[in-house]
Amino acid sequence: MAEVDGTTAKTPWQSLNGGAHRFWVDRDVLWWQLVGEVDAPDLIKLMELSDGCTEQFGYCLLIIDCKHGASVTPSARRAVAERNRDRPTPRNITVLYGLSALSRGLIALTMRAITLLSAVRPIIRVCATEAEALAVMARERATAQPDYQPPR
């Protein structure tokens, strides 16, 4: 079960590219559960899912559970930088949680590299816990959709 903005939903997780990573889409929120190394095909698929969400809502909120994730390969970092090089940036926000202290530092360096190699300045929030990440996501959703009322 997962909760954003006070509502609890069953998580219909799906395999990302037939591998160990899992995802599900809840309206404007794309959930991603990392399991092991992230390679270019994983990020390309995730970007396609994000594009679908952006087409529908004008933005995408991405929440990533990194507790069981490992590293992001150089080819994956290149794929993100190449994709974003000449693209206008929609108002997308990524919230990460479950990172070790070392991983938080590596994420900061990776995001800086992506920013230098592309025209995009990613909006990333790093949270210590899932509860903190869900609170950040709920605030971002409220900002993006001020008229949204969660189901009761």
Side-chain angles (χ1 to χ4, degrees), residues 11-142:
T11 56
W13 292 105
Q14 299 174 49
S15 173
L16 184 73
N17 287 334
H21 304 299
R22 300 182 324 153
F23 78 95
W24 71 288
V25 180
D26 176 26
R27 299 180 317 271
D28 56 341
V29 178
L30 174 56
W31 300 75
W32 191 19
Q33 203 171 57
L34 300 181
V35 180
E37 187 174 74
V38 177
D39 202 1
D42 302 319
L43 282 179
I44 290 167
K45 177 65 175 177
L46 187 71
M47 290 184 288
E48 290 169 0
L49 293 166
S50 175
D51 288 346
C53 183
T54 301
E55 285 175 27
Q56 184 175 0
F57 294 97
Y59 65 93
C60 182
L61 304 174
L62 176 62
I63 186 164
I64 304 175
D65 175 354
C66 302
K67 291 185 299 242
H68 304 291
S71 62
V72 177
T73 66
S75 65
R77 291 190 296 271
R78 274 192 305 277
V80 171
E82 287 170 13
R83 175 184 183 269
N84 293 333
R85 183 169 289 128
D86 300 313
R87 243 180 133 202
T89 306
R91 186 185 176 278
N92 292 348
I93 297 169
T94 301
V95 178
L96 307 164
Y97 71 94
L99 293 162
S100 68
L102 176 61
S103 293
R104 285 191 300 270
L106 291 173
I107 287 292
L109 291 173
T110 299
M111 291 302 104
R112 182 68 182 139
I114 289 170
T115 301
L116 291 172
L117 296 172
S118 69
V120 174
R121 183 178 257 329
I123 301 171
I124 308 287
R125 307 281 186 257
V126 178
C127 300
T129 65
E130 181 178 11
E132 182 185 347
L134 293 171
V136 167
M137 192 59 64
R139 282 193 307 274
E140 294 296 343
R141 179 180 264 172

Side-chain angles (χ1 to χ4, degrees), residues 4-7 27 141 148-152:
V4 171
D5 66 28
T7 62
R27 299 180 317 271
R141 179 180 264 172
Y148 173 75
Q149 292 296 317
R152 302 211 186 264

